[in-house]
Amino acid sequence: MVGKVWGREQLPAPFVAPADERIGEIWFEPPPELPQVLVKYLFTSEKLSVQVHPSDAEALPGEAGKEECWLVLDAEPDARLAIGFEREVEAAEIAAAAMDGTIEQLLTWHPARAGDLFYLPAGTVHAIGPGLSLVEVQQNSDTTFRLYDYGRPRELHLERGLAVARGKPYGAEHRRSIAAGPVLVDGPYFRLDRIEGEPGAATCAAFPGGLLALPLAGEITARDGSARARAGDCLYADSLAALDFARAEVTLLVRAA
C-alpha cells in the first residue's frame, strides 16, 4: 500500500487502510518472469496532479516510457477523468496555463462510470479526479512529469513535460466499455482482457505464456495448489492452463505484448 495525499482513509472492500493513513495506491510487484507490466489499484478522494509521460523514444537514459490504461471499478456520481485538451493548444499556452492554474479549464474532463476503460498513449496530458476506484495497467515505469499540482509542495517538471505533451483532444478510439467485448486493450506494450467464468478458446490462444490474473469477483487457484486469488489479489501464472477457474466469476487477464 502506498500513502498519498489524495488517497482515502476508508478503502472499498476487501482492502483495509492502516489507521489514520490515506492510501492512494496498491501496487503488485511485477514478477521476474513478467517485468514489463505493472498493475495497481488507485483510490482517490482528491484530484491527482496534471501530468504526462514520455514514450520510450523520448525517455532519457535510465528512464522508461509509459503507456497506461484505467479501468473504472467504482465511481461517485460526479467523478471525472481529465484526458487530453478541449482543442488543439501550443506548448506556450500549456506552459502559461500550468503556471497560472488554468490548465484544468483547457483539459477535457470525461465523466467516469464503472466499466469504463481509458487507454492513454504516451504524451497524453491527464489527471484523475476524486471519487474513483481504478485498476491501472501500465508499462513498468515511474517516469512522470508534473505540469500542475494545485499548490501542493511537490516538484513540477514543466520543461520535460512540455517537451513530450501532445496538445490535442483525446481520441475517441482510446475509450471503450467492458460491455464491448472481452478484449479491453491490445496495445504495443500489454494486453488486457476481462473474462467471465472459464476462459474461452480465443482467450487461451491470446495468452499462451506468462500472465497476471486479477479476480474482480469469485476465486481462481493454481492447479498445483500453490496459490489462490480472490478480489483484490493479483496472481502470476506461466500459462492459463496452470489456473483453475471453476470458482471464477469475473477476472482480468494481463500479459506483455
Side-chain angles (χ1 to χ4, degrees):
M1 292 187 173
V2 182
K4 296 288 185 180
V5 65
W6 43 260
R8 298 187 198 169
E9 293 184 2
Q10 299 294 324
L11 300 182
F15 304 106
V16 178
D20 301 321
E21 187 170 352
R22 304 183 85 178
I23 298 300
E25 301 178 347
I26 295 176
W27 293 33
F28 296 102
E29 191 69 27
E33 302 89 344
L34 198 66
Q36 311 97 315
V37 180
L38 178 63
V39 173
K40 304 176 184 175
Y41 281 88
L42 303 180
F43 311 103
T44 68
S45 64
E46 299 178 10
K47 293 176 182 176
L48 278 66
S49 63
V50 177
Q51 56 186 240
V52 66
H53 311 295
S55 66
D56 282 344
E58 294 164 325
L60 298 179
E63 298 177 342
K66 181 176 175 181
E67 299 207 348
E68 61 190 334
C69 73
W70 298 324
L71 175 62
V72 181
L73 298 178
D74 187 50
E76 294 180 1
D78 58 349
R80 298 183 299 165
L81 295 160
I83 313 175
F85 293 93
E86 284 285 284
R87 54 179 172 80
E88 291 200 11
V89 291
E90 299 294 333
E93 186 175 3
I94 299 173
M99 294 297 292
D100 66 19
T102 59
I103 192 169
E104 288 188 89
Q105 285 71 59
L106 289 183
L107 295 167
T108 300
W109 287 85
H110 304 262
R113 300 291 180 266
D116 288 344
L117 186 285
F118 299 84
Y119 187 84
L120 279 68
T124 304
V125 178
H126 60 274
I128 299 175
L132 286 161
S133 297
L134 310 173
V135 170
E136 179 177 289
V137 181
Q138 60 165 88
Q139 284 180 267
N140 186 12
S141 167
D142 62 358
T143 308
T144 297
F145 304 138
R146 291 191 198 96
L147 300 174
Y148 178 67
D149 201 23
Y150 318 99
R152 296 173 184 142
R154 297 195 295 177
E155 181 183 5
L156 299 180
H157 316 94
L158 287 179
E159 183 176 354
R160 293 293 311 280
L162 292 169
V164 303
R166 298 176 181 173
K168 297 180 179 180
Y170 181 59
E173 70 275 13
H174 297 309
R175 178 176 182 172
R176 63 182 307 166
S177 166
I178 56 175
V183 183
L184 300 181
V185 174
D186 192 3
Y189 298 101
F190 56 84
R191 174 164 171 153
L192 172 64
D193 281 28
R194 176 190 180 273
I195 62 169
E196 297 186 12
E198 297 272 355
T203 301
C204 291
F207 286 80
L211 72 144
L212 298 172
L214 290 84
L216 299 183
E219 176 182 300
I220 55 176
T221 58
R223 293 191 183 278
D224 64 5
S226 62
R228 179 178 66 180
R230 296 173 177 171
D233 296 328
C234 181
L235 181 62
Y236 172 78
D238 58 11
S239 70
L240 276 176
L243 298 175
D244 183 350
F245 289 84
R247 297 182 180 180
E249 296 177 31
V250 180
T251 309
L252 297 179
L253 304 176
V254 183
R255 67 163 172 81

